[in-house]
Amino acid sequence: MQRKSNFRDVFYVSDGTAITSETLGHAVLGQFPIETHQTTHPFIETNERAEQVKTLVNQSHERTGIKPLVFYSIVIPDVKVIIEQSNAHFYDVLNVLVEPLKHDLQLEPEPQLQRSHSINKDAASYQDRIAAIEYTLAHDDGISLNNLDQADVILLGVSRCGKTPTSLYLAMQFGIRAVNYPFIAEDMTSLKLPAAIEPYRFKTYGLTIDIERLVAIRNERYANSDYASLEQCEKELHKVEGMFRREAIPYLNTSSLSVEEIATRLLDISGLKRKMC
Amino acid sequence: MQRKSNFRDVFYVSDGTAITSETLGHAVLGQFPIETHQTTHPFIETNERAEQVKTLVNQSHERTGIKPLVFYSIVIPDVKVIIEQSNAHFYDVLNVLVEPLKHDLQLEPEPQLQRSHSINKDAASYQDRIAAIEYTLAHDDGISLNNLDQADVILLGVSRCGKTPTSLYLAMQFGIRAVNYPFIAEDMTSLKLPAAIEPYRFKTYGLTIDIERLVAIRNERYANSDYASLEQCEKELHKVEGMFRREAIPYLNTSSLSVEEIATRLLDISGLKRKMC
C-alpha cells in the first residue's frame, strides 16, 4: 500500500526519556510541508527492545513503501547499532552537534550514561524545582497570599486568562515560584491591587486576553452563563486592564500565545533568570 | 582576564521561546567535560535586540579571551545575519538537521514564522492540554475521586513520593489527565484500594521510593516529626508496596528518577500515547 508521498512515519528512539529527540524532531519537521505519524520509544535499554523497535520501523517501511524517519539519541552502543540497522532515514540529534563542538572546543566528548533530564545531573536545582512546584500550587488561584516575599513572580488577571497553566509551567520548567491571583466579578465595583500584593508590585505582572477569546473559553466551561457573557467579559477586561495601566503593572495579552510563549515572555520582561532546565 | 580553558560562556538565542535551542544545547554540552555559564535570549525579533545580544557575545569574548558558544534557532533573516556576525562558535540547532532532511525527503523546507511551542500549530490539542491541566489540578492529592472515567492514569503512593509533580508534568507536557491519591498514616491499619478506584485499576499505577530518601524528603518539610521518622516511613512503604503487589498494581521506584523520567516511564509501561508535545 502506497500512501501519499508527503506522508511519513516518524520514530523517536532513545535509551533515555526521548524528550530531546522529540523536541528537536518536532521543530525540524515543522519546517517541511509533510504530514507525519509520530511514535516515541523511550528507555530502549536492551538489545531485545531495540530489536522490537527495529521491527516496527521495518514494518512501517514495508507497509508504506517509504522510508520512515528515525530521530534518535542513544548512548548504549549495542542498542545504537541495532536501531541503525533498520530501514530508515536517521537523524542522530546529539551527535550532529557533538562533532562540530568537538572541533571547536578541541575536546573529546565523554558520553554520559547520565542523560539530560536525569535527576543526578544537579540534585540541588532539582529540589529547588520541586519546592517551586509546591509553592506555586499553594499559591494558585488566590488560595494564599502568604509568604509573598518568597515569590519570584506574581500574576494577576481575570478568570480564565491563562494564569494557572503559566504559573505551573514557570515552576515546572524554570524552578520559578509563581503566585497567581484572579480578579472576580465581585471585585469589579472598586477594583484595586490587593493590599498583600502592594509591597511586591515590583514583581507583579498582569495577564489579559481578547474579549472574544475569553467569551469562547468561558462558554466552554459554563455555557450561556452571565460569567461567559460578552457584557461581563468586556466589563472585567476593561476594568482590569484599566487598573494595570493606572497602577503601572506591566501586562501581556495571552490570546495568541502558548503557555511556553507566555512563560518565556514573562521571564524576558521581568529579567528573571531560569533557575534550571 | 583569561579564565580556565574548560570554562565557556553559552548563549541560547531565538526569535521564539529559545526552548528548542536550550534543550538541545544542554543535552550536547552535557557530553563534554566543560563548565559553562549559560544565558537565554528569547524573542529576539528586531535588529535592535539582535545588536544587543551581539554586543553581549562580543563582550564575553573580549572579557574571557575565549569564543563563546551560541546555540540558536532564528527564522527572521536580518536577525540571523546580525547574530552570526558576533565573535563566537555557532550551532544552528534547526538547520543542522534541515539540510539532511531536505536531501532525504527531496523537499524544500517552508520556514515557518509560526514556530514550535506556538499555540497556532494545533489549537485543538492545545485546548486538550489546558483541559488536562485543569482535570489534573482538580484531582491532585486525593482532592476528588469523581469523574475517574475521564482519567488517563491514576497514581497511588505514600505522601512525598513524587505523585504531584509527575501528574502535573504528564498533564503539561503530554496532555494526559492524571489523578493522584495519597495513602496516609490513618490508612495503614487496613490498607486497600479505594472503592472509587477499584473499577479503574487497569489504569492505576503505584509510585514508591527508598526509605532513606523518603525520610530525608519528609524531614525537609517537618523535621523530627513522627511523619518523617524512619519507623513511620518504613511502615508506610512496607504496607503500600505490599498492597501494590497483592492487588497487582504495577509500580515504580522514583528514588533516582527525575519527573521527566517518571512521567515517560509511566507512559512507557502504560502504553499511553503522548497526546501532544
Side-chain angles (χ1 to χ4, degrees), chain A residues 22 28 30-31 43 49 91 101 104 110 112 117 119 126 129 134 160 256 258-260 268 274, chain B residues 22 28 30-31 49 91 101 104 110 112 117 119 126 129 134 160 256 258-260 265 268 274:
Chain A
E22 279 190 338
V28 175
Q31 305 287 307
F43 305 112
R49 292 206 67 183
Y91 310 96
L101 262 169
D104 296 339
E110 298 175 354
Q112 305 283 320
H117 304 110
I119 195 176
Y126 190 76
R129 176 193 195 184
E134 277 167 22
R160 316 293 294 172
S256 64
S258 69
V259 172
E260 282 84 351
D268 195 37
R274 305 171 188 215
Chain B
E22 280 190 335
V28 175
Q31 305 287 308
R49 291 207 67 184
Y91 310 96
L101 261 170
D104 296 338
E110 297 176 356
Q112 305 284 319
H117 305 110
I119 197 173
Y126 190 76
R129 176 192 196 186
E134 277 167 23
R160 315 295 292 172
S256 64
S258 70
V259 172
E260 283 84 352
R265 281 197 188 264
D268 194 35
R274 304 171 187 215

Side-chain angles (χ1 to χ4, degrees), chain A residues 203-217:
Chain A
K203 57 186 176 187
T204 299
Y205 298 87
L207 297 183
T208 191
I209 188 168
D210 293 346
I211 296 173
E212 312 75 55
R213 190 147 163 77
L214 185 61
V215 169
I217 293 173

Side-chain angles (χ1 to χ4, degrees), chain B residues 74-234:
Chain B
I74 299 170
V75 179
I76 303 167
D78 287 358
V79 168
K80 190 165 179 170
V81 166
I82 294 168
I83 295 300
E84 288 176 340
Q85 287 166 349
S86 9
N87 216 333
H89 294 298
F90 297 102
Y91 310 96
D92 186 329
V93 300
L94 281 193
N95 269 349
V96 75
L97 283 185
V98 164
E99 286 305 317
L101 261 170
K102 216 168 109 174
H103 174 263
D104 296 338
L105 294 171
Q106 295 286 308
L107 281 172
E108 281 302 309
E110 297 176 356
Q112 305 284 319
L113 267 174
Q114 228 153 277
R115 298 171 203 87
S116 43
H117 305 110
S118 148
I119 197 173
N120 300 315
K121 284 238 153 172
D122 187 345
S125 94
Y126 190 76
Q127 286 310 317
D128 282 350
R129 176 192 196 186
I130 300 296
I133 294 171
E134 277 167 23
Y135 181 91
T136 299
L137 276 177
H139 293 81
D140 181 40
D141 204 32
I143 295 172
S144 160
L145 288 179
N146 294 329
N147 309 317
L148 293 193
D149 54 315
Q150 293 167 32
D152 293 309
V153 69
I154 299 171
L155 302 182
L156 306 178
V158 304
S159 167
R160 315 295 292 172
C161 69
K163 298 181 301 300
T164 293
T166 302
S167 300
L168 289 172
Y169 190 86
L170 284 167
M172 183 78 75
Q173 293 300 116
F174 301 130
I176 300 262
R177 292 169 187 237
V179 172
N180 77 78
Y181 183 86
F183 293 115
I184 58 173
E186 288 67 30
D187 293 324
M188 294 304 144
T189 40
S190 62
L191 191 66
K192 56 180 198 291
L193 214 53
I197 292 174
E198 187 65 56
Y200 302 104
R201 49 162 66 226
F202 64 90
K203 57 187 177 187
T204 299
Y205 297 86
L207 297 184
T208 191
I209 187 168
D210 294 343
I211 296 173
E212 312 74 58
R213 192 148 163 78
L214 185 61
V215 169
I217 294 173
R218 288 187 173 184
N219 262 302
E220 263 177 48
R221 194 160 206 187
Y222 300 111
N224 306 316
S225 60
D226 282 349
Y227 168 78
S229 69
L230 181 66
E231 296 67 36
Q232 182 62 27
C233 290
E234 193 163 15

Side-chain angles (χ1 to χ4, degrees), chain A residues 5-6 8 15-20 22-34 38-43 45 49 69 71 75 89-94 96-102 104-112 114-121 126-127 129-130 133-134 137 140 160 164-166 168-170 172-174 213 217 220-221 254-262 264-265 268 273-274 276-277, chain B residues 5-6 8 15-20 22-34 38-43 45 49 69 71 75 89-94 96-102 104-112 114-121 126-127 129-130 133-134 137 140 160 164-166 168-170 172-174 213 217 220-221 254-262 264-266 268 273-274 276-277:
Chain A
S5 71
N6 69 346
R8 298 290 169 137
D15 44 6
T17 62
I19 291 172
T20 306
E22 279 190 338
T23 304
L24 192 65
H26 281 131
V28 175
L29 290 170
Q31 305 287 307
F32 286 92
I34 56 171
Q38 311 186 5
T39 54
T40 303
H41 305 269
F43 305 112
E45 293 162 310
R49 292 206 67 183
L69 312 178
F71 292 83
V75 179
H89 294 298
F90 297 102
Y91 310 96
D92 186 331
V93 300
L94 281 194
V96 75
L97 283 184
V98 165
E99 287 303 317
L101 262 169
K102 218 167 107 173
D104 296 339
L105 293 171
Q106 295 286 306
L107 282 173
E108 282 303 309
E110 298 175 354
Q112 305 283 320
Q114 228 152 276
R115 299 170 201 86
S116 44
H117 304 110
S118 148
I119 195 176
N120 300 314
K121 285 239 155 175
Y126 190 76
Q127 286 309 318
R129 176 193 195 184
I130 300 297
I133 294 171
E134 277 167 22
L137 276 177
D140 180 40
R160 316 293 294 172
T164 293
T166 302
L168 289 172
Y169 190 86
L170 284 168
M172 182 78 75
Q173 293 300 115
F174 301 132
R213 190 147 163 77
I217 293 173
E220 263 178 49
R221 193 161 207 188
T254 65
S255 303
S256 64
L257 301 178
S258 69
V259 172
E260 282 84 351
E261 288 171 320
I262 304 168
T264 46
R265 280 197 190 266
D268 195 37
K273 293 271 168 276
R274 305 171 188 215
M276 33 72 60
C277 289
Chain B
S5 71
N6 69 346
R8 299 290 170 139
D15 43 7
T17 62
I19 291 173
T20 305
E22 280 190 335
T23 304
L24 192 66
H26 281 128
V28 175
L29 291 169
Q31 305 287 308
F32 286 93
I34 56 170
Q38 311 187 6
T39 55
T40 304
H41 304 270
F43 306 111
E45 294 163 309
R49 291 207 67 184
L69 312 177
F71 291 83
V75 179
H89 294 298
F90 297 102
Y91 310 96
D92 186 329
V93 300
L94 281 193
V96 75
L97 283 185
V98 164
E99 286 305 317
L101 261 170
K102 216 168 109 174
D104 296 338
L105 294 171
Q106 295 286 308
L107 281 172
E108 281 302 309
E110 297 176 356
Q112 305 284 319
Q114 228 153 277
R115 298 171 203 87
S116 43
H117 305 110
S118 148
I119 197 173
N120 300 315
K121 284 238 153 172
Y126 190 76
Q127 286 310 317
R129 176 192 196 186
I130 300 296
I133 294 171
E134 277 167 23
L137 276 177
D140 181 40
R160 315 295 292 172
T164 293
T166 302
L168 289 172
Y169 190 86
L170 284 167
M172 183 78 75
Q173 293 300 116
F174 301 130
R213 192 148 163 78
I217 294 173
E220 263 177 48
R221 194 160 206 187
T254 65
S255 303
S256 64
L257 301 177
S258 70
V259 172
E260 283 84 352
E261 289 172 319
I262 304 168
T264 46
R265 281 197 188 264
L266 281 171
D268 194 35
K273 294 270 168 277
R274 304 171 187 215
M276 32 72 58
C277 290

